[in-house]
Amino acid sequence: MNQPAATAKSRVICTVDFEREGKQADVLRVPHSRNDSGWGVVQIPITVIRNGDGPTVLLNGGVHGDEYESQIAIAELARTLQPKDVRGRLIVVPALHFPAAMNGSRLSPIDGKDLNRCFPGRAEGTFADVLAHYVSAVLLPMCDVNIDLHSGGRGMDFVPSTTSHVLDDAARFERTNALGLAFGAPYHVVIKEVDAGYTLMTCCEQRGVVAISSELGGGNRVNPGGMVATRQGIARALAHLGVVPARTAPAPSPTRLMTVPDYDCYAFAPRGGLYEPYHGLGDAVAKGDAAGAIHFVDDPHREPIVIRYGASGELWCVRAQGHVQAGDPVAVIVAPYR
Ligand SMILES: [Zn+2]
């Protein structure tokens, strides 16, 4: 899970002066050479608010374009937050993978890539590689903390949660969990992820940046409960970090520290078909229980395949679409972290 260093010079044009006091609303210009515009760029809104000494926090949404709660809440913050409200430096990017966000898709409509599998990026790569490289080579070296907010996208529906990884550095692990608990979503989940090696969170971890992510809804829609968790969570997390005054934060909200310790917690569809889940989000389930069934409506005489949970705990997320393909996760279980 070692990412190579991002050392080459970034190809992204940014005229923000990150050292300047005050509020700057600008764009990142990421090269996108096209048949009709050789010097064309994709303009990604970025807002930087600086007021005196304090931590530098990169707060971003829209790494996946079909995850909406954070895009709304972070754009709101960019619009409303003033330098007098801030201590230190806040770098705010509501829709980091901008072409995907405008397309409402997880993957880039430009190069087909998942930005969260491209870190630390490559200056000589495609659009998503170049964007990831800018974040890792230019933004992260300035940052103490990254809050990279996600939801379940088209594929999954989640109990609103923040997430982080197990870290070897005990002090940083504790600071990371404390930030997740301060955010105040129903769960903070220490997760063993599928294919985490090239994510923004792993990139942060390898550079000593405290990082949390999230799953704040899903199903390719804006979830009202997810919006509350996102708006309040951002305010609590920034207050916890000292970037905004504590008096502006909503009251603390109880969060349960949970874990996905291994891949037994994931249930994958062995075949494609129509997935019928048997439980709702947050339900208590036991290893061996039937999680749901895959139905074959094109072959009504074929018996459905029953999928069983590989671990006991609570149902953290379920497949948000009726159709599944072989290999799609249909459920993930969380258990209390001990
Ligand atoms: Zn995501």
Side-chain angles (χ1 to χ4, degrees):
M1 177 139 144
N2 283 330
Q3 297 182 352
T7 50
K9 186 168 166 44
S10 176
R11 292 164 61 191
V12 175
I13 300 167
C14 178
T15 55
V16 169
D17 177 356
F18 288 94
E19 303 307 318
R20 194 202 297 170
E21 298 281 318
K23 180 173 180 176
Q24 301 169 74
D26 208 323
V27 291
L28 305 173
R29 292 189 171 86
V30 186
H32 179 36
S33 183
R34 315 187 310 270
N35 281 331
D36 59 350
S37 185
W39 288 341
V41 295
V42 171
Q43 303 192 131
I44 305 179
I46 179 170
T47 302
V48 179
I49 307 170
R50 179 159 200 171
N51 182 16
D53 294 332
T56 294
V57 178
L58 170 62
L59 172 65
N60 67 272
V63 161
H64 294 133
D66 60 349
E67 303 172 7
Y68 305 112
E69 290 82 0
S70 60
Q71 296 184 44
I72 293 172
I74 294 173
E76 208 166 75
L77 206 69
R79 204 162 60 238
T80 57
L81 208 59
Q82 299 304 321
K84 66 177 172 48
D85 307 321
V86 170
R87 293 287 173 275
R89 180 168 53 180
L90 191 55
I91 302 170
V92 180
V93 186
L96 182 59
H97 198 181
F98 193 78
M102 293 303 100
N103 197 45
S105 59
R106 178 180 181 88
L107 306 181
S108 168
I110 294 177
D111 59 16
K113 289 187 177 173
D114 178 341
L115 178 62
N116 219 22
R117 301 292 182 273
C118 292
F119 284 89
R122 294 183 305 129
E124 72 277 23
T126 63
F127 183 90
D129 299 317
V130 171
L131 178 56
H133 177 265
Y134 176 80
V135 173
S136 63
V138 179
L139 294 183
L140 291 187
M142 291 186 268
C143 291
D144 301 293
V145 177
N146 173 227
I147 301 175
D148 168 31
L149 296 180
H150 291 245
S151 299
R154 291 180 197 176
M156 298 300 259
D157 248 337
F158 281 86
V159 175
S161 308
T162 45
T163 61
S164 62
H165 295 146
V166 173
L167 302 176
D168 294 334
D169 179 335
R172 189 140 49 84
F173 185 54
E174 198 171 308
R175 285 178 65 200
T176 303
N177 288 340
L179 179 59
L181 294 172
F183 192 100
Y187 296 154
H188 177 73
V189 183
V190 179
I191 179 180
K192 169 107 174 154
E193 271 191 272
V194 173
D195 200 20
Y198 297 93
T199 61
L200 174 52
M201 190 150 72
T202 297
C203 188
C204 288
E205 289 159 3
Q206 295 184 347
R207 284 156 178 75
V209 175
V210 169
I212 62 167
S213 188
S214 69
E215 302 292 355
L216 292 159
N220 197 29
R221 63 184 182 277
V222 179
N223 293 261
M227 280 308 317
V228 173
T230 306
R231 284 194 176 102
Q232 295 193 351
I234 290 171
R236 288 192 201 99
L238 294 181
H240 170 82
L241 295 166
V243 178
V244 302
R247 62 180 159 73
T248 61
S253 175
T255 299
R256 295 171 62 210
L257 186 60
M258 309 294 278
T259 184
V260 175
D262 53 44
Y263 296 130
D264 289 344
C265 295
Y266 292 77
F268 292 95
R271 295 283 180 276
L274 278 184
Y275 181 65
E276 177 196 3
Y278 290 168
H279 299 104
L281 290 177
D283 284 357
V285 300
K287 181 178 179 176
D289 283 355
I294 295 177
H295 298 272
F296 305 100
V297 294
D298 57 333
D299 186 3
H301 301 286
R302 182 176 173 188
E303 287 293 323
I305 295 176
V306 173
I307 298 176
R308 296 188 181 278
Y309 296 115
S312 298
E314 294 170 28
L315 186 56
W316 183 34
C317 64
V318 293
R319 176 76 181 164
Q321 307 289 318
H323 281 273
V324 292
Q325 293 184 34
D328 287 343
V330 293
V332 183
I333 302 303
V334 287
Y337 185 88
R338 295 177 211 288

